[in-house]
Amino acid sequence: MRLNDSVIKNLKATDQSYYVFRNDGTRGTGRLGIKVFPSGRKSFVYRFQLDGKRKFKTLGDWPHYTLDQASQRYAELAGMTHKVRTENFVKKMSYGTLRELFAAFIAYKEREGHRSTVNEYKILLDQLIKRKLITGNETANEITPAQVTQWLQSWAKNGFLAQADKIRKKLHAVFAYGIVADNDPLGTSVATGIEFNIPHNPTTNIQKMNASKPGKCYLSFAEIRRIDLIFKESPFELEQDLKSLLMLGIYTCGQRPFELAHAQKSLYDADNNKLTISKEFTKLNRSNVVYICELAKKTLDE
């Protein structure tokens, strides 16, 4: 069949997925086609033979991934078909793993100056592996929404909805970078010859969890006084710096401990009761002014 945007647009979804392949009159170079899902989603695919077995590679979702892009990618892959048994072809058809995707994303975050959140993604990868949800060696562009949903259930079914939703957001960020990683001139994956070829984000259509949100619950004044009393009368000893940091977090209405710990004395304006947090240490990478109450001022002065 001849494939063009008009033909693709008119392909109707059915109860089962099906393929339509372009007939270009050549043999032995594989076929470019479109896969139509029951949901109506349409993805370009490359069908080829490897070791006597029929294989499929997803190229990208139409219309975001255009017919011209698919044709160009097909030409690249088809040009190597006659080398199907050589190591070069096998290398061409293999893509980056989940572990490599996380490494590339973490390197990107470090490059952009988001050092405070880098460790969270390292921990997330370790958690997924320790829970035996992944090995880390899975091909990143073959991960499906169903697999990601299964990962999230490991937390959600145990009642940790807020944690599951945070993980969903982190995974969305990782795969969103993976979509553009192959075109990142400063990316570590490009420098090391790793290609991800991720056509779409598998987390996009996953249901958000109805988890609690910041600002939904507040401490009462009685609870704050109780916490203050615990710190003052607690039988266990804490380092004075740690105790001051924890209390300062309360006195500044929940300011992030990481930001307070890196506050600079030169940016503390005692006369006007305000403390400026340098943008190098803030989550949003912009300077933050915190107004200081008398208790916070006393803690800082100590």
Side-chain angles (χ1 to χ4, degrees):
M1 175 183 286
R2 180 184 177 188
L3 284 184
N4 55 42
D5 285 327
S6 178
V7 170
I8 295 171
K9 182 179 180 180
N10 290 322
L11 293 175
K12 305 298 183 183
T14 63
D15 293 339
Q16 294 184 334
S17 299
Y18 67 93
Y19 295 92
V20 175
F21 289 96
R22 182 172 70 183
N23 184 5
D24 54 11
T26 61
R27 295 179 59 84
T29 59
R31 283 287 183 271
L32 174 65
I34 194 96
K35 182 178 181 180
V36 183
F37 295 83
S39 64
R41 173 185 157 204
K42 300 171 184 178
S43 293
F44 287 107
V45 295
Y46 174 57
R47 185 183 69 187
F48 61 101
Q49 294 285 332
L50 182 62
D51 296 330
K53 297 180 180 179
R54 181 172 289 178
K55 303 286 185 179
F56 293 87
K57 283 294 177 184
T58 301
L59 304 183
D61 282 1
W62 182 87
H64 302 295
Y65 196 83
T66 66
L67 179 58
D68 286 343
Q69 289 175 303
S71 298
Q72 182 178 352
R73 181 63 174 155
Y74 162 72
E76 293 173 359
L77 298 174
M80 299 190 70
T81 303
H82 295 297
K83 299 179 181 179
V84 67
R85 292 182 177 85
T86 68
E87 293 181 1
N88 287 337
F89 181 82
V90 174
K91 182 178 180 181
K92 182 72 176 180
M93 297 305 296
S94 62
Y95 297 111
T97 65
L98 275 178
R99 194 187 301 275
E100 290 168 334
L101 175 58
F102 267 84
F105 178 74
I106 288 170
Y108 160 73
K109 294 285 281 185
E110 289 176 333
R111 191 180 82 214
E112 294 295 305
H114 302 292
R115 294 182 295 275
S116 61
T117 60
V118 163
N119 199 48
E120 296 178 10
Y121 290 92
K122 293 178 181 178
I123 292 173
L124 174 56
L125 178 61
D126 288 341
Q127 286 180 327
L128 292 171
I129 293 173
K130 287 178 180 178
R131 289 173 178 251
K132 297 183 179 179
L133 299 172
I134 65 171
T135 65
N137 298 321
E138 295 86 353
T139 303
N141 68 4
E142 294 180 355
I143 298 300
T144 66
Q147 287 175 286
V148 178
T149 301
Q150 187 178 25
W151 302 346
L152 296 176
Q153 285 178 342
S154 180
W155 284 271
K157 285 193 172 182
N158 289 303
F160 300 110
L161 296 181
Q163 183 68 6
D165 205 48
K166 287 180 181 178
I167 292 171
R168 180 191 61 80
K169 291 177 182 178
K170 285 185 172 65
L171 290 171
H172 186 277
V174 171
F175 281 101
Y177 174 73
I179 292 173
V180 301
D182 297 339
N183 299 313
D184 183 358
L186 298 177
T188 56
S189 58
V190 174
T192 54
I194 297 172
E195 183 181 2
F196 293 109
N197 193 35
I198 297 176
H200 58 87
N201 195 322
T203 70
T204 298
N205 295 322
I206 292 179
Q207 182 70 35
K208 296 179 181 179
M209 275 137 283
N210 186 22
S212 60
K213 297 180 179 179
K216 188 176 181 180
C217 299
Y218 295 91
L219 291 173
S220 67
F221 286 113
E223 290 171 324
I224 293 174
R225 283 194 294 269
R226 177 60 181 160
I227 292 173
D228 186 49
L229 197 62
I230 289 173
F231 275 101
K232 290 177 179 177
E233 300 180 356
S234 176
F236 57 86
E237 290 295 326
L238 289 175
E239 292 289 338
Q240 185 57 44
D241 286 345
L242 177 58
K243 186 182 294 187
S244 296
L245 177 62
L246 294 173
M247 292 311 300
L248 193 59
I250 293 175
Y251 297 151
T252 56
C253 299
Q255 191 67 32
R256 297 181 183 90
F258 177 84
E259 297 177 1
L260 291 173
H262 289 83
Q264 298 168 289
K265 192 171 183 179
S266 60
L267 298 177
Y268 171 40
D269 184 354
D271 294 335
N272 294 304
N273 294 333
K274 65 181 182 180
L275 173 67
T276 301
I277 309 294
S278 180
K279 69 177 183 179
E280 288 82 4
F281 305 109
T282 62
K283 182 178 180 180
L284 300 178
N285 198 32
R286 61 177 180 233
S287 297
N288 185 23
V289 177
V290 181
Y291 288 92
I292 304 298
C293 67
E294 287 303 316
L295 287 173
K297 187 175 181 180
K298 182 180 178 181
T299 303
L300 286 169
D301 291 337
E302 290 175 351

